[in-house]
Amino acid sequence: MNKRLWILASVVGLFSGVSSVYGAEAPNAGTPPSADEQKAYAELGQRGVLVQPLAAGSNWFYVSFRGADKPDSALYSLLKGVPGTVELDLSGQKLAESDFNALEGLKNLRKLNLSKSSVNDAALSHLSGLSKLESLNLFQTEVGDAGLANLKGMAGLKRLYVYQTKVTDTGIEQVKAAMPGVKVEKGGAVLLPPKKDEPKKDDAEAKK
């Protein structure tokens, strides 16, 4: 009997990138950024943060800290002034818990990548008010079941990635019970048997 190994691909980068897939929920062009918002985006850019509109003519922005120049609390605090951000990549960033306060004002945020960051259970409480958040990547973080409990009120959440975290199967089941529409991905490898109608190799040879 042949066994097939199906690998659930790692999605460390799945939640990052400018090309967004929102389907019918795609945000419209949005309101042009205010002078203060433009200034905040400019300051982020001067510190090496990538700021890019989702599309030509769009007032919604993708922001990535991957190339940031020595990110600190002052840099993270600029996120308070950029409500037009719908995709945010903080992967690998070492934020203090207080730095997560800046995310509370991102009411239009749809995708958040916190993979390999310093996010923990307590820090996730700052995300509870992000009602439009659809995708959250917590790959390889210290988040556990207690942290996921902070997400149960996020009605818009559709996809949650918890591979290589402290989250247990019990915690996942609790999230699914509270938020039936959420797809929780643990990653890793899954070994599946062959399909029932697939003949064994010996049987196939005998029929020749």
Side-chain angles (χ1 to χ4, degrees), residues 170-202:
T170 298
I172 291 175
E173 291 305 316
Q174 290 175 346
V175 168
K176 289 181 177 180
M179 307 166 68
V182 177
K183 180 180 180 182
V184 183
E185 299 185 28
K186 286 189 65 177
V190 177
L191 190 63
L192 298 178
K195 296 178 181 179
K196 291 182 178 180
D197 58 350
E198 180 179 335
K200 296 181 181 180
K201 183 177 180 181
D202 293 341

Side-chain angles (χ1 to χ4, degrees), residues 79-80 82-83 101-108 130:
L79 291 172
K80 295 179 180 179
V82 289
N101 290 325
L103 276 63
E104 295 178 359
L106 299 179
K107 301 301 184 181
N108 294 299
L130 303 181

Side-chain angles (χ1 to χ4, degrees), residues 7-14 116 137 139 161 163-164 185 187-188:
I7 304 298
L8 299 180
S10 171
V11 291
V12 178
L14 182 62
K116 298 185 178 181
N137 188 346
F139 169 75
Y161 192 67
Y163 182 43
Q164 291 188 9
E185 299 185 28

Side-chain angles (χ1 to χ4, degrees), residues 5-137:
L5 186 64
W6 294 75
I7 304 298
L8 299 180
S10 171
V11 291
V12 178
L14 182 62
F15 290 82
S16 63
V18 180
S19 58
S20 306
V21 181
Y22 294 109
E25 299 296 326
N28 54 30
T31 304
S34 65
D36 287 341
E37 188 173 359
Q38 292 181 44
K39 180 180 178 182
Y41 279 130
E43 291 181 7
L44 286 167
Q46 289 170 4
R47 291 283 301 274
V49 176
L50 175 64
V51 176
Q52 189 168 335
L54 289 186
S58 174
N59 294 306
W60 301 114
F61 292 85
Y62 164 74
V63 176
S64 174
F65 276 67
R66 292 194 180 195
D69 180 22
K70 297 179 180 179
D72 52 23
S73 293
L75 184 61
Y76 297 131
S77 68
L78 292 173
L79 291 172
K80 295 179 180 179
V82 289
T85 300
V86 294
E87 297 189 17
L88 177 60
D89 187 347
L90 290 172
S91 58
Q93 298 300 308
K94 305 305 177 186
L95 302 87
E97 184 185 338
S98 58
D99 293 331
F100 285 88
N101 290 325
L103 276 63
E104 295 178 359
L106 299 179
K107 301 301 184 181
N108 294 299
L109 195 64
R110 302 290 189 100
K111 299 174 70 175
L112 177 59
N113 186 350
L114 293 173
S115 63
K116 298 185 178 181
S117 74
S118 58
V119 66
N120 55 27
D121 291 343
L124 283 184
S125 65
H126 297 282
L127 307 183
S128 60
L130 303 181
S131 61
K132 294 184 179 180
L133 191 67
E134 298 177 0
S135 298
L136 177 60
N137 188 346

